[in-house]
Amino acid sequence: MGKKVLVIGEIREGSLRNVTFEAIAAARTVSDGGEVVGVLSGAGDLNEMGEEMVYYGADRVVTVSHDNLKTSEGHAQAIYPVIEEESPEGIIMGHTSQGKDLTPKLASKLESGLISDATEVAAEDGTIVFTRPIYSGKAFEKKEITDGLVFATIRPNNIPSLEKNEALEGEVTAKDVDIKDIRTIIKDIIRKSSDGVDLSEAKVIVAGGRGVKSEEGFEPLEELAQVLGGTVGASRGACDAGYCDYSLQIGQTGKVVTPDLYIACGISGAIQHLAGMSNSKVIVAINKDPEANIFNVADYGIVGDLFDVVPKLVEEVKQLKVNA
Ligand SMILES: Cc1cc2nc3c(=O)[nH]c(=O)nc-3n(C[C@H](O)[C@H](O)[C@H](O)COP(=O)(O)OP(=O)(O)OC[C@H]3O[C@@H](n4cnc5c(N)ncnc54)[C@H](O)[C@@H]3O)c2cc1C
């Protein structure tokens, strides 16, 4: 018999993050023909975003709107009563900064386990199996929950969402929840990344390393990212050298990314960097050193000076666009 599965949606800067739709697709697998219920918490009118969750496959959505929902503490207070009321057999959310902060809070309250950072969800012989990377992506493990709540977070950009279908119908209901005694407040958000594209959801990333040599050295990379509709990332080497902000760092102690295309420029390919990007779908490496480790994970390698190669790539892409 199918299960009831809750999907915790995530709103960023006034719209739903894509991983919300991917979580709905994962929830459909976990539910095995049961009901998928979206839950959204945030400020203002959430009805439209609730409907969007329906278009991506949620059967119905419960929204909790409150002005005091700026931290995970507030979101946990908003979502917990919905979980209590719905008694789901599964809960899925994105493995994002918010997901990483919120889901352990809920799991501990629910006295449940939690499978985090799954990159695959599949039904195998009647059981739901989650695949997740371990040891910084050097191996994958398969996990199943044999008893109790199936609670998991999924890595963005790995589980394809279902096709959007505006003909789908489902109820979006607003629930009133009293949110009080919030102990953490956000006083200010300092954000230096220029274009606002989230690295963990970007389809194309052009990343620079110490080989970029300066802050200005990132300019050709930014141009390439722009013509490809992507965003710029960096190695820790580049961040430590002060060429860019740490919010761009990719790797074991930075962001984990899985874009369709990852272009590594002047990055040696240290194991801690690979931990954050080796699952990218197509990897292109540009490096002066033919022995650089990055070539061991690259699908395409260009041995050369990035300051010659990157501008040529920009021109080629522009030309392709003109001819398209
Ligand atoms: C606990 C720990 C956690 C870490 N976490 C991370 C992490 O999250 N992310 C991360 O990235 N690192 C991390 N590191 C650091 C990591 O070990 C490396 O030091 C770092 O990734 C190196 O950065 P890089 O490749 O930019 O620099 P380098 O290793 O110095 O490589 C620069 C590369 O640029 C090439 N190059 C130079 N000039 C050019 C040119 N003009 N054109 C083309 N190529 C050129 C060189 O051949 C070289 O391969 C961590 C380290 C530790 C110990």
Side-chain angles (χ1 to χ4, degrees):
M1 210 184 75
K3 290 184 170 70
K4 185 199 267 194
V5 182
L6 218 67
V7 171
I8 303 174
E10 187 175 337
I11 302 165
R12 190 186 171 120
E13 284 164 13
S15 35
L16 284 172
R17 294 191 62 168
N18 282 340
V19 71
T20 301
F21 310 131
E22 295 163 5
I24 294 172
R28 289 248 74 108
T29 305
V30 175
S31 77
D32 191 22
E35 192 184 26
V36 172
V37 182
V39 49
L40 259 186
S41 58
D45 186 356
L46 306 175
N47 196 58
E48 221 170 277
M49 282 186 265
E51 278 173 3
E52 212 179 347
M53 285 180 83
V54 170
Y55 299 154
Y56 278 94
D59 293 306
R60 61 186 172 87
V61 176
V62 181
T63 63
V64 180
S65 178
H66 200 287
D67 287 338
N68 209 352
L69 282 175
K70 298 194 176 68
T71 64
S72 294
E73 204 188 337
H75 286 290
Q77 282 195 36
I79 291 165
Y80 189 70
V82 181
I83 298 174
E84 275 192 314
E85 197 172 278
E86 295 286 342
S87 305
E89 291 155 284
I91 306 176
I92 311 279
M93 187 179 182
H95 194 71
T96 58
S97 305
Q98 191 181 321
K100 281 186 250 181
D101 201 22
L102 176 61
T103 51
K105 282 185 175 65
L106 292 171
S108 100
K109 245 183 133 142
L110 294 161
E111 296 185 0
S112 135
L114 174 66
I115 293 178
S116 67
D117 202 16
T119 51
E120 228 180 281
V121 183
E124 291 179 14
D125 300 329
T127 45
I128 298 297
V129 179
F130 293 87
T131 305
R132 60 186 298 275
I134 50 171
Y135 304 122
S136 303
K138 287 198 277 298
F140 288 85
E141 67 174 1
K142 288 192 169 195
K143 282 201 155 178
E144 63 181 90
I145 293 174
T146 50
D147 190 24
L149 187 68
V150 180
F151 197 174
T153 61
I154 58 156
R155 185 180 285 195
N157 258 350
N158 279 267
I159 295 164
S161 56
L162 305 169
E163 195 101 344
K164 184 176 183 180
N165 179 357
E166 295 191 22
L168 290 174
E169 285 178 17
E171 213 182 356
V172 179
T173 43
K175 183 175 167 64
D176 272 335
V177 175
D178 193 19
I179 293 167
K180 49 184 188 235
D181 302 331
I182 300 284
R183 287 165 298 179
T184 46
I185 52 160
I186 296 175
K187 291 181 80 172
D188 198 6
I189 296 178
I190 302 158
R191 197 144 167 243
K192 284 199 195 159
S193 57
S194 49
D195 54 13
V197 179
D198 191 316
L199 270 176
S200 60
E201 289 194 345
K203 298 281 178 212
V204 177
I205 295 175
V206 181
R210 226 183 322 245
V212 170
K213 294 191 178 69
S214 65
E215 201 177 330
E216 297 72 47
F218 264 90
E219 282 165 16
L221 277 63
E222 272 159 18
E223 212 184 331
L224 182 58
Q226 204 221 328
V227 293
L228 290 170
T231 192
V232 165
S235 71
R236 175 152 147 194
C239 300
D240 283 346
Y243 306 159
C244 58
D245 189 71
Y246 279 103
S247 61
L248 300 185
Q249 186 184 318
I250 291 162
Q252 189 180 316
T253 43
K255 299 211 166 74
V256 176
V257 298
T258 14
D260 292 341
L261 175 62
Y262 189 89
I263 307 180
C265 311
I267 293 177
S268 59
I271 190 74
Q272 296 90 352
H273 186 75
L274 302 188
M277 48 64 73
S278 59
N279 287 326
S280 303
K281 292 179 190 90
V282 175
I283 299 171
V284 177
I286 306 166
N287 199 301
K288 279 205 300 201
D289 176 6
E291 302 295 323
N293 191 46
I294 192 78
F295 288 125
N296 291 326
V297 296
D299 299 285
Y300 301 94
I302 303 173
V303 178
D305 189 321
L306 71 94
F307 295 105
D308 294 333
V309 177
V310 173
K312 282 189 184 131
L313 285 176
V314 171
E315 282 318 307
E316 279 297 320
V317 177
K318 280 187 180 163
Q319 205 53 46
L320 282 172
K321 283 185 165 174
V322 170
N323 297 339

